[in-house]
Tab-separated table of all heavy atoms in Angstrom:
chain	number	residue	atom	x	y	z
A	405	SER	N	11.250	-42.902	-84.961
A	405	SER	CA	12.066	-43.942	-85.548
A	405	SER	C	12.293	-43.561	-87.001
A	405	SER	O	11.343	-43.419	-87.768
A	405	SER	CB	11.344	-45.280	-85.414
A	405	SER	OG	11.691	-46.133	-86.464
A	406	GLU	N	13.526	-43.386	-87.348
A	406	GLU	CA	13.930	-42.985	-88.704
A	406	GLU	C	13.129	-41.772	-89.162
A	406	GLU	O	12.594	-41.728	-90.269
A	406	GLU	CB	13.756	-44.152	-89.676
A	406	GLU	CG	14.729	-45.274	-89.417
A	406	GLU	CD	14.182	-46.632	-89.867
A	406	GLU	OE1	13.073	-46.658	-90.412
A	406	GLU	OE2	14.875	-47.627	-89.649
A	407	GLY	N	13.001	-40.817	-88.282
A	407	GLY	CA	12.355	-39.568	-88.671
A	407	GLY	C	10.854	-39.559	-88.551
A	407	GLY	O	10.239	-38.506	-88.545
A	408	LEU	N	10.250	-40.723	-88.419
A	408	LEU	CA	8.798	-40.763	-88.312
A	408	LEU	C	8.394	-40.907	-86.853
A	408	LEU	O	9.071	-41.589	-86.082
A	408	LEU	CB	8.256	-41.961	-89.100
A	408	LEU	CG	8.333	-41.850	-90.615
A	408	LEU	CD1	7.868	-43.159	-91.244
A	408	LEU	CD2	7.481	-40.687	-91.126
A	409	PRO	N	7.298	-40.268	-86.497
A	409	PRO	CA	6.838	-40.433	-85.118
A	409	PRO	C	6.334	-41.850	-84.895
A	409	PRO	O	5.696	-42.429	-85.775
A	409	PRO	CB	5.696	-39.424	-85.007
A	409	PRO	CG	5.217	-39.224	-86.393
A	409	PRO	CD	6.426	-39.355	-87.286
A	410	ILE	N	6.651	-42.341	-83.726
A	410	ILE	CA	6.211	-43.694	-83.409
A	410	ILE	C	4.794	-43.638	-82.854
A	410	ILE	O	4.466	-42.787	-82.040
A	410	ILE	CB	7.162	-44.338	-82.391
A	410	ILE	CG1	8.541	-44.552	-83.011
A	410	ILE	CG2	6.602	-45.646	-81.870
A	410	ILE	CD1	9.568	-45.089	-82.081
A	411	ALA	N	3.960	-44.545	-83.319
A	411	ALA	CA	2.623	-44.655	-82.747
A	411	ALA	C	2.380	-46.119	-82.426
A	411	ALA	O	2.444	-46.950	-83.331
A	411	ALA	CB	1.562	-44.144	-83.717
A	412	PRO	N	2.093	-46.475	-81.260
A	412	PRO	CA	2.144	-45.678	-80.024
A	412	PRO	C	3.575	-45.512	-79.536
A	412	PRO	O	4.351	-46.455	-79.628
A	412	PRO	CB	1.334	-46.520	-79.059
A	412	PRO	CG	1.509	-47.920	-79.546
A	412	PRO	CD	1.694	-47.861	-81.029
A	413	CYS	N	3.858	-44.337	-79.054
A	413	CYS	CA	5.223	-44.030	-78.672
A	413	CYS	C	5.502	-44.489	-77.253
A	413	CYS	O	4.603	-44.875	-76.525
A	413	CYS	CB	5.480	-42.529	-78.779
A	413	CYS	SG	4.745	-41.595	-77.443
A	414	GLY	N	6.770	-44.463	-76.879
A	414	GLY	CA	7.135	-44.708	-75.493
A	414	GLY	C	7.594	-46.113	-75.221
A	414	GLY	O	7.364	-47.049	-76.003
A	415	ALA	N	8.277	-46.239	-74.081
A	415	ALA	CA	8.877	-47.513	-73.719
A	415	ALA	C	7.826	-48.560	-73.388
A	415	ALA	O	8.011	-49.736	-73.681
A	415	ALA	CB	9.805	-47.324	-72.524
A	416	ILE	N	6.729	-48.139	-72.798
A	416	ILE	CA	5.724	-49.127	-72.395
A	416	ILE	C	5.155	-49.812	-73.624
A	416	ILE	O	5.138	-51.041	-73.728
A	416	ILE	CB	4.585	-48.460	-71.595
A	416	ILE	CG1	5.141	-47.563	-70.499
A	416	ILE	CG2	3.677	-49.513	-71.007
A	416	ILE	CD1	4.078	-46.829	-69.717
A	417	ALA	N	4.719	-48.969	-74.544
A	417	ALA	CA	4.137	-49.533	-75.751
A	417	ALA	C	5.171	-50.364	-76.504
A	417	ALA	O	4.865	-51.453	-77.001
A	417	ALA	CB	3.606	-48.404	-76.635
A	418	ASN	N	6.374	-49.868	-76.526
A	418	ASN	CA	7.419	-50.534	-77.279
A	418	ASN	C	7.663	-51.946	-76.769
A	418	ASN	O	7.974	-52.844	-77.531
A	418	ASN	CB	8.709	-49.710	-77.184
A	418	ASN	CG	9.831	-50.355	-77.948
A	418	ASN	OD1	9.742	-50.533	-79.160
A	418	ASN	ND2	10.879	-50.740	-77.238
A	419	SER	N	7.508	-52.124	-75.457
A	419	SER	CA	7.826	-53.433	-74.883
A	419	SER	C	6.580	-54.294	-74.710
A	419	SER	O	6.533	-55.146	-73.832
A	419	SER	CB	8.523	-53.237	-73.539
A	419	SER	OG	7.695	-52.465	-72.683
A	420	LEU	N	5.565	-54.049	-75.552
A	420	LEU	CA	4.316	-54.816	-75.451
A	420	LEU	C	4.609	-56.313	-75.455
A	420	LEU	O	5.389	-56.814	-76.259
A	420	LEU	CB	3.410	-54.467	-76.639
A	420	LEU	CG	2.116	-55.271	-76.788
A	420	LEU	CD1	1.176	-54.936	-75.646
A	420	LEU	CD2	1.463	-54.963	-78.125
A	421	PHE	N	3.973	-56.977	-74.514
A	421	PHE	CA	4.157	-58.432	-74.403
A	421	PHE	C	3.546	-59.090	-75.629
A	421	PHE	O	2.361	-58.934	-75.906
A	421	PHE	CB	3.461	-58.917	-73.124
A	421	PHE	CG	3.568	-60.384	-72.880
A	421	PHE	CD1	4.760	-60.920	-72.376
A	421	PHE	CD2	2.508	-61.237	-73.152
A	421	PHE	CE1	4.861	-62.273	-72.139
A	421	PHE	CE2	2.624	-62.607	-72.922
A	421	PHE	CZ	3.799	-63.134	-72.406
A	422	ASN	N	4.359	-59.826	-76.369
A	422	ASN	CA	3.856	-60.324	-77.644
A	422	ASN	C	4.004	-61.822	-77.820
A	422	ASN	O	4.013	-62.323	-78.930
A	422	ASN	CB	4.517	-59.572	-78.798
A	422	ASN	CG	6.027	-59.694	-78.746
A	422	ASN	OD1	6.568	-60.294	-77.821
A	422	ASN	ND2	6.703	-59.135	-79.740
A	423	ASP	N	4.173	-62.527	-76.711
A	423	ASP	CA	4.082	-63.985	-76.818
A	423	ASP	C	2.628	-64.364	-77.107
A	423	ASP	O	1.712	-63.715	-76.610
A	423	ASP	CB	4.487	-64.644	-75.491
A	423	ASP	CG	5.988	-64.731	-75.342
A	423	ASP	OD1	6.693	-64.326	-76.293
A	423	ASP	OD2	6.447	-65.168	-74.276
A	424	THR	N	2.473	-65.379	-77.894
A	424	THR	CA	1.107	-65.887	-78.109
A	424	THR	C	0.971	-67.200	-77.370
A	424	THR	O	1.823	-68.086	-77.488
A	424	THR	CB	0.829	-66.114	-79.605
A	424	THR	OG1	1.268	-64.945	-80.307
A	424	THR	CG2	-0.649	-66.339	-79.845
A	425	LEU	N	-0.053	-67.298	-76.568
A	425	LEU	CA	-0.261	-68.505	-75.781
A	425	LEU	C	-1.534	-69.184	-76.268
A	425	LEU	O	-2.572	-68.538	-76.412
A	425	LEU	CB	-0.396	-68.166	-74.288
A	425	LEU	CG	0.724	-67.344	-73.660
A	425	LEU	CD1	0.388	-66.998	-72.214
A	425	LEU	CD2	2.042	-68.094	-73.719
A	426	GLU	N	-1.419	-70.468	-76.496
A	426	GLU	CA	-2.607	-71.241	-76.874
A	426	GLU	C	-2.679	-72.462	-75.991
A	426	GLU	O	-1.668	-73.065	-75.645
A	426	GLU	CB	-2.518	-71.660	-78.343
A	426	GLU	CG	-2.944	-70.526	-79.257
A	426	GLU	CD	-2.735	-70.871	-80.733
A	426	GLU	OE1	-1.829	-71.688	-81.003
A	426	GLU	OE2	-3.461	-70.337	-81.563
A	427	LEU	N	-3.881	-72.801	-75.644
A	427	LEU	CA	-4.068	-73.901	-74.695
A	427	LEU	C	-4.828	-75.048	-75.369
A	427	LEU	O	-5.846	-74.823	-76.015
A	427	LEU	CB	-4.850	-73.383	-73.477
A	427	LEU	CG	-4.866	-74.270	-72.245
A	427	LEU	CD1	-3.453	-74.492	-71.714
A	427	LEU	CD2	-5.744	-73.647	-71.167
A	428	TYR	N	-4.262	-76.223	-75.251
A	428	TYR	CA	-4.916	-77.410	-75.814
A	428	TYR	C	-5.197	-78.390	-74.711
A	428	TYR	O	-4.374	-78.594	-73.805
A	428	TYR	CB	-4.010	-78.075	-76.860
A	428	TYR	CG	-3.820	-77.214	-78.093
A	428	TYR	CD1	-2.762	-76.313	-78.173
A	428	TYR	CD2	-4.704	-77.325	-79.189
A	428	TYR	CE1	-2.579	-75.520	-79.289
A	428	TYR	CE2	-4.521	-76.529	-80.307
A	428	TYR	CZ	-3.465	-75.634	-80.360
A	428	TYR	OH	-3.291	-74.860	-81.465
A	429	HIS	N	-6.354	-78.947	-74.787
A	429	HIS	CA	-6.699	-80.006	-73.844
A	429	HIS	C	-6.453	-81.341	-74.491
A	429	HIS	O	-6.848	-81.562	-75.625
A	429	HIS	CB	-8.191	-79.874	-73.427
A	429	HIS	CG	-8.625	-80.894	-72.444
A	429	HIS	ND1	-9.809	-81.569	-72.546
A	429	HIS	CD2	-8.026	-81.373	-71.320
A	429	HIS	CE1	-9.925	-82.428	-71.541
A	429	HIS	NE2	-8.831	-82.290	-70.778
A	430	ILE	N	-5.732	-82.214	-73.762
A	430	ILE	CA	-5.485	-83.554	-74.297
A	430	ILE	C	-6.508	-84.490	-73.665
A	430	ILE	O	-6.540	-84.654	-72.435
A	430	ILE	CB	-4.061	-84.045	-73.926
A	430	ILE	CG1	-3.021	-82.948	-74.191
A	430	ILE	CG2	-3.755	-85.335	-74.686
A	430	ILE	CD1	-2.660	-82.722	-75.626
A	431	ASP	N	-7.324	-85.040	-74.510
A	431	ASP	CA	-8.304	-85.975	-73.993
A	431	ASP	C	-7.631	-87.242	-73.501
A	431	ASP	O	-6.448	-87.463	-73.729
A	431	ASP	CB	-9.316	-86.373	-75.102
A	431	ASP	CG	-10.319	-85.257	-75.316
A	431	ASP	OD1	-10.290	-84.313	-74.478
A	431	ASP	OD2	-11.066	-85.310	-76.291
A	432	SER	N	-8.443	-88.044	-72.864
A	432	SER	CA	-7.884	-89.312	-72.391
A	432	SER	C	-7.470	-90.185	-73.565
A	432	SER	O	-6.548	-90.995	-73.462
A	432	SER	CB	-8.926	-90.040	-71.527
A	432	SER	OG	-10.181	-90.008	-72.196
A	433	ASN	N	-8.136	-89.926	-74.699
A	433	ASN	CA	-7.737	-90.729	-75.854
A	433	ASN	C	-6.676	-90.036	-76.702
A	433	ASN	O	-6.343	-90.455	-77.784
A	433	ASN	CB	-8.952	-91.105	-76.700
A	433	ASN	CG	-9.795	-89.878	-76.975
A	433	ASN	OD1	-9.319	-88.741	-76.785
A	433	ASN	ND2	-11.008	-90.087	-77.428
A	434	GLY	N	-6.154	-88.939	-76.249
A	434	GLY	CA	-4.996	-88.338	-76.907
A	434	GLY	C	-5.295	-87.251	-77.900
A	434	GLY	O	-4.365	-86.667	-78.456
A	435	THR	N	-6.559	-86.914	-78.111
A	435	THR	CA	-6.839	-85.855	-79.083
A	435	THR	C	-6.670	-84.475	-78.456
A	435	THR	O	-6.996	-84.252	-77.305
A	435	THR	CB	-8.276	-85.983	-79.622
A	435	THR	OG1	-9.148	-86.113	-78.500
A	435	THR	CG2	-8.436	-87.148	-80.568
A	436	ARG	N	-6.106	-83.626	-79.257
A	436	ARG	CA	-5.904	-82.250	-78.774
A	436	ARG	C	-7.090	-81.400	-79.173
A	436	ARG	O	-7.437	-81.338	-80.330
A	436	ARG	CB	-4.646	-81.655	-79.422
A	436	ARG	CG	-3.377	-81.992	-78.707
A	436	ARG	CD	-2.191	-81.772	-79.622
A	436	ARG	NE	-2.061	-80.390	-80.013
A	436	ARG	CZ	-0.978	-79.657	-79.815
A	436	ARG	NH1	0.066	-80.195	-79.220
A	436	ARG	NH2	-0.929	-78.414	-80.216
A	437	THR	N	-7.707	-80.760	-78.207
A	437	THR	CA	-8.746	-79.795	-78.559
A	437	THR	C	-8.315	-78.421	-78.068
A	437	THR	O	-7.831	-78.255	-76.944
A	437	THR	CB	-10.093	-80.149	-77.899
A	437	THR	OG1	-9.831	-80.585	-76.564
A	437	THR	CG2	-10.857	-81.172	-78.675
A	438	LEU	N	-8.459	-77.483	-78.961
A	438	LEU	CA	-8.088	-76.100	-78.628
A	438	LEU	C	-9.087	-75.544	-77.625
A	438	LEU	O	-10.297	-75.631	-77.824
A	438	LEU	CB	-8.094	-75.243	-79.906
A	438	LEU	CG	-7.706	-73.781	-79.714
A	438	LEU	CD1	-6.233	-73.642	-79.341
A	438	LEU	CD2	-8.013	-72.993	-80.967
A	439	VAL	N	-8.582	-75.040	-76.546
A	439	VAL	CA	-9.472	-74.392	-75.576
A	439	VAL	C	-9.760	-72.987	-76.091
A	439	VAL	O	-8.832	-72.249	-76.457
A	439	VAL	CB	-8.810	-74.337	-74.194
A	439	VAL	CG1	-9.696	-73.606	-73.207
A	439	VAL	CG2	-8.480	-75.730	-73.694
A	440	HIS	N	-11.045	-72.657	-76.126
A	440	HIS	CA	-11.406	-71.339	-76.683
A	440	HIS	C	-11.048	-70.221	-75.700
A	440	HIS	O	-11.551	-70.184	-74.575
A	440	HIS	CB	-12.902	-71.297	-77.006
A	440	HIS	CG	-13.329	-69.991	-77.593
A	440	HIS	ND1	-12.793	-69.518	-78.790
A	440	HIS	CD2	-14.216	-69.056	-77.172
A	440	HIS	CE1	-13.342	-68.349	-79.061
A	440	HIS	NE2	-14.218	-68.048	-78.076
A	441	LEU	N	-10.161	-69.358	-76.139
A	441	LEU	CA	-9.720	-68.245	-75.286
A	441	LEU	C	-10.379	-66.962	-75.757
A	441	LEU	O	-10.271	-66.592	-76.916
A	441	LEU	CB	-8.193	-68.091	-75.343
A	441	LEU	CG	-7.392	-69.332	-74.941
A	441	LEU	CD1	-5.900	-69.105	-75.179
A	441	LEU	CD2	-7.626	-69.692	-73.488
A	442	VAL	N	-11.049	-66.271	-74.850
A	442	VAL	CA	-11.714	-65.022	-75.212
A	442	VAL	C	-10.779	-63.873	-74.899
A	442	VAL	O	-10.198	-63.780	-73.812
A	442	VAL	CB	-13.026	-64.862	-74.414
A	442	VAL	CG1	-13.701	-63.542	-74.748
A	442	VAL	CG2	-13.952	-66.028	-74.711
A	443	LYS	N	-10.587	-62.999	-75.855
A	443	LYS	CA	-9.640	-61.904	-75.633
A	443	LYS	C	-10.339	-60.591	-75.343
A	443	LYS	O	-9.711	-59.549	-75.296
A	443	LYS	CB	-8.712	-61.779	-76.838
A	443	LYS	CG	-9.409	-61.720	-78.181
A	443	LYS	CD	-8.428	-61.485	-79.319
A	443	LYS	CE	-7.619	-62.712	-79.646
A	443	LYS	NZ	-6.820	-62.520	-80.878
A	444	LYS	N	-11.638	-60.624	-75.107
A	444	LYS	CA	-12.351	-59.402	-74.757
A	444	LYS	C	-12.753	-59.419	-73.294
A	444	LYS	O	-12.968	-60.483	-72.726
A	444	LYS	CB	-13.596	-59.251	-75.625
A	444	LYS	CG	-13.245	-58.806	-77.023
A	444	LYS	CD	-14.444	-58.229	-77.712
A	444	LYS	CE	-14.031	-57.680	-79.082
A	444	LYS	NZ	-15.201	-57.180	-79.802
A	445	GLY	N	-12.816	-58.233	-72.751
A	445	GLY	CA	-13.191	-58.136	-71.333
A	445	GLY	C	-12.015	-58.281	-70.411
A	445	GLY	O	-12.165	-58.486	-69.209
A	446	ILE	N	-10.825	-58.160	-70.946
A	446	ILE	CA	-9.666	-58.289	-70.084
A	446	ILE	C	-9.168	-56.920	-69.625
A	446	ILE	O	-8.397	-56.817	-68.689
A	446	ILE	CB	-8.522	-59.054	-70.786
A	446	ILE	CG1	-8.166	-58.383	-72.125
A	446	ILE	CG2	-8.909	-60.506	-71.006
A	446	ILE	CD1	-6.940	-58.986	-72.772
A	447	ALA	N	-9.597	-55.877	-70.323
A	447	ALA	CA	-9.148	-54.532	-69.932
A	447	ALA	C	-10.269	-53.823	-69.195
A	447	ALA	O	-11.434	-54.186	-69.309
A	447	ALA	CB	-8.736	-53.743	-71.162
A	448	TRP	N	-9.890	-52.788	-68.409
A	448	TRP	CA	-10.906	-51.984	-67.728
A	448	TRP	C	-11.847	-51.389	-68.765
A	448	TRP	O	-11.406	-50.910	-69.814
A	448	TRP	CB	-10.251	-50.841	-66.958
A	448	TRP	CG	-9.474	-51.254	-65.736
A	448	TRP	CD1	-9.093	-52.511	-65.412
A	448	TRP	CD2	-9.000	-50.372	-64.732
A	448	TRP	NE1	-8.396	-52.506	-64.249
A	448	TRP	CE2	-8.322	-51.191	-63.799
A	448	TRP	CE3	-9.063	-49.014	-64.506
A	448	TRP	CZ2	-7.716	-50.657	-62.670
A	448	TRP	CZ3	-8.465	-48.495	-63.397
A	448	TRP	CH2	-7.810	-49.308	-62.465
A	449	TRP	N	-13.093	-51.393	-68.432
A	449	TRP	CA	-14.090	-50.896	-69.380
A	449	TRP	C	-13.816	-49.432	-69.728
A	449	TRP	O	-13.863	-49.023	-70.879
A	449	TRP	CB	-15.479	-51.026	-68.750
A	449	TRP	CG	-16.591	-50.764	-69.723
A	449	TRP	CD1	-17.230	-51.682	-70.492
A	449	TRP	CD2	-17.181	-49.492	-70.031
A	449	TRP	NE1	-18.173	-51.092	-71.259
A	449	TRP	CE2	-18.171	-49.731	-71.005
A	449	TRP	CE3	-16.976	-48.191	-69.608
A	449	TRP	CZ2	-18.949	-48.716	-71.552
A	449	TRP	CZ3	-17.744	-47.177	-70.141
A	449	TRP	CH2	-18.730	-47.446	-71.105
A	450	THR	N	-13.496	-48.651	-68.743
A	450	THR	CA	-13.279	-47.225	-68.995
A	450	THR	C	-12.045	-46.983	-69.844
A	450	THR	O	-11.990	-46.061	-70.643
A	450	THR	CB	-13.115	-46.474	-67.676
A	450	THR	OG1	-12.220	-47.204	-66.839
A	450	THR	CG2	-14.437	-46.300	-66.974
A	451	ASP	N	-11.044	-47.821	-69.643
A	451	ASP	CA	-9.845	-47.684	-70.464
A	451	ASP	C	-10.178	-47.952	-71.920
A	451	ASP	O	-9.831	-47.201	-72.821
A	451	ASP	CB	-8.764	-48.678	-70.006
A	451	ASP	CG	-8.071	-48.211	-68.744
A	451	ASP	OD1	-8.459	-47.140	-68.232
A	451	ASP	OD2	-7.152	-48.901	-68.271
A	452	LYS	N	-10.875	-49.052	-72.082
A	452	LYS	CA	-11.205	-49.516	-73.446
A	452	LYS	C	-12.098	-48.507	-74.166
A	452	LYS	O	-11.926	-48.241	-75.343
A	452	LYS	CB	-11.906	-50.875	-73.318
A	452	LYS	CG	-12.623	-51.338	-74.543
A	452	LYS	CD	-11.817	-52.340	-75.307
A	452	LYS	CE	-12.632	-52.853	-76.497
A	452	LYS	NZ	-11.797	-53.565	-77.440
A	453	HIS	N	-13.028	-47.927	-73.441
A	453	HIS	CA	-14.023	-47.103	-74.128
A	453	HIS	C	-13.777	-45.613	-74.056
A	453	HIS	O	-14.317	-44.870	-74.848
A	453	HIS	CB	-15.425	-47.434	-73.596
A	453	HIS	CG	-15.855	-48.819	-73.949
A	453	HIS	ND1	-15.659	-49.913	-73.110
A	453	HIS	CD2	-16.437	-49.310	-75.057
A	453	HIS	CE1	-16.106	-51.000	-73.695
A	453	HIS	NE2	-16.592	-50.670	-74.887
A	454	VAL	N	-12.998	-45.143	-73.082
A	454	VAL	CA	-12.807	-43.698	-72.961
A	454	VAL	C	-11.337	-43.303	-73.077
A	454	VAL	O	-10.964	-42.436	-73.846
A	454	VAL	CB	-13.373	-43.176	-71.627
A	454	VAL	CG1	-13.362	-41.655	-71.611
A	454	VAL	CG2	-14.759	-43.717	-71.376
A	455	LYS	N	-10.521	-43.957	-72.295
A	455	LYS	CA	-9.146	-43.488	-72.195
A	455	LYS	C	-8.362	-43.787	-73.476
A	455	LYS	O	-7.532	-42.997	-73.894
A	455	LYS	CB	-8.481	-44.177	-70.996
A	455	LYS	CG	-7.136	-43.566	-70.612
A	455	LYS	CD	-6.634	-44.190	-69.314
A	455	LYS	CE	-5.203	-43.774	-69.048
A	455	LYS	NZ	-4.666	-44.422	-67.844
A	456	PHE	N	-8.636	-44.929	-74.052
A	456	PHE	CA	-7.936	-45.295	-75.279
A	456	PHE	C	-8.879	-45.144	-76.466
A	456	PHE	O	-10.007	-45.635	-76.439
A	456	PHE	CB	-7.441	-46.742	-75.181
A	456	PHE	CG	-6.292	-46.909	-74.240
A	456	PHE	CD1	-6.486	-46.946	-72.877
A	456	PHE	CD2	-4.986	-47.011	-74.727
A	456	PHE	CE1	-5.437	-47.082	-72.009
A	456	PHE	CE2	-3.920	-47.157	-73.862
A	456	PHE	CZ	-4.139	-47.185	-72.491
A	457	ARG	N	-8.396	-44.449	-77.451
A	457	ARG	CA	-9.231	-44.236	-78.624
A	457	ARG	C	-8.351	-44.177	-79.849
A	457	ARG	O	-7.248	-43.632	-79.802
A	457	ARG	CB	-9.994	-42.917	-78.509
A	457	ARG	CG	-11.482	-43.127	-78.316
A	457	ARG	CD	-12.160	-41.814	-78.291
A	457	ARG	NE	-12.937	-41.679	-77.073
A	457	ARG	CZ	-13.378	-40.521	-76.624
A	457	ARG	NH1	-13.071	-39.411	-77.250
A	457	ARG	NH2	-14.100	-40.484	-75.540
A	458	ASN	N	-8.864	-44.733	-80.932
A	458	ASN	CA	-8.113	-44.624	-82.177
A	458	ASN	C	-8.286	-43.231	-82.740
A	458	ASN	O	-9.337	-42.620	-82.605
A	458	ASN	CB	-8.613	-45.666	-83.182
A	458	ASN	CG	-8.011	-47.024	-82.891
A	458	ASN	OD1	-6.855	-47.105	-82.478
A	458	ASN	ND2	-8.799	-48.066	-83.082
A	459	PRO	N	-7.261	-42.711	-83.351
A	459	PRO	CA	-7.405	-41.384	-83.947
A	459	PRO	C	-8.316	-41.429	-85.174
A	459	PRO	O	-8.525	-42.489	-85.751
A	459	PRO	CB	-5.970	-41.013	-84.297
A	459	PRO	CG	-5.247	-42.308	-84.442
A	459	PRO	CD	-5.926	-43.294	-83.534
A	460	GLY	N	-8.831	-40.283	-85.542
A	460	GLY	CA	-9.630	-40.191	-86.750
A	460	GLY	C	-11.021	-40.732	-86.563
A	460	GLY	O	-11.364	-41.287	-85.520
A	461	VAL	N	-11.829	-40.493	-87.580
A	461	VAL	CA	-13.214	-40.916	-87.485
A	461	VAL	C	-13.478	-42.181	-88.295
A	461	VAL	O	-14.277	-43.017	-87.897
A	461	VAL	CB	-14.175	-39.800	-87.931
A	461	VAL	CG1	-14.405	-38.818	-86.774
A	461	VAL	CG2	-13.670	-39.089	-89.157
A	462	ASN	N	-12.782	-42.319	-89.424
A	462	ASN	CA	-13.073	-43.487	-90.252
A	462	ASN	C	-12.382	-44.713	-89.691
A	462	ASN	O	-11.477	-44.622	-88.873
A	462	ASN	CB	-12.680	-43.236	-91.712
A	462	ASN	CG	-11.220	-42.834	-91.804
A	462	ASN	OD1	-10.591	-42.569	-90.784
A	462	ASN	ND2	-10.681	-42.795	-92.993
A	463	SER	N	-12.854	-45.826	-90.132
A	463	SER	CA	-12.367	-47.066	-89.559
A	463	SER	C	-11.117	-47.578	-90.275
A	463	SER	O	-10.570	-48.599	-89.896
A	463	SER	CB	-13.475	-48.115	-89.606
A	463	SER	OG	-13.950	-48.209	-90.944
A	464	ASN	N	-10.678	-46.870	-91.272
A	464	ASN	CA	-9.508	-47.337	-92.001
A	464	ASN	C	-8.241	-46.932	-91.262
A	464	ASN	O	-7.686	-45.866	-91.452
A	464	ASN	CB	-9.495	-46.750	-93.406
A	464	ASN	CG	-8.392	-47.399	-94.239
A	464	ASN	OD1	-7.633	-48.213	-93.725
A	464	ASN	ND2	-8.331	-47.018	-95.510
A	465	LEU	N	-7.841	-47.814	-90.341
A	465	LEU	CA	-6.725	-47.475	-89.476
A	465	LEU	C	-5.427	-47.333	-90.250
A	465	LEU	O	-4.567	-46.522	-89.919
A	465	LEU	CB	-6.578	-48.541	-88.391
A	465	LEU	CG	-7.672	-48.511	-87.308
A	465	LEU	CD1	-7.420	-49.621	-86.309
A	465	LEU	CD2	-7.690	-47.164	-86.613
A	466	THR	N	-5.292	-48.110	-91.300
A	466	THR	CA	-4.055	-48.060	-92.079
A	466	THR	C	-3.803	-46.657	-92.590
A	466	THR	O	-2.690	-46.138	-92.524
A	466	THR	CB	-4.150	-49.031	-93.275
A	466	THR	OG1	-4.872	-50.187	-92.847
A	466	THR	CG2	-2.778	-49.422	-93.762
Side-chain angles (χ1 to χ4, degrees):
Chain A
S405 150
E406 292 153 2
L408 289 175
I410 294 176
C413 75
I416 311 177
N418 180 61
S419 57
L420 174 68
F421 180 77
N422 57 357
D423 279 357
T424 313
L425 306 175
E426 279 174 332
L427 194 61
Y428 293 91
H429 181 224
I430 314 284
D431 283 351
S432 46
N433 49 16
T435 50
R436 275 162 63 123
T437 41
L438 181 68
V439 177
H440 181 60
L441 303 174
V442 178
K443 50 175 74 172
K444 284 199 175 177
I446 55 173
W448 289 14
W449 190 91
T450 46
D451 283 1
K452 165 100 176 166
H453 293 93
V454 189
K455 192 173 170 183
F456 288 78
R457 249 183 235 163
N458 280 324
V461 278
N462 56 350
S463 54
N464 189 356
L465 288 179
T466 323

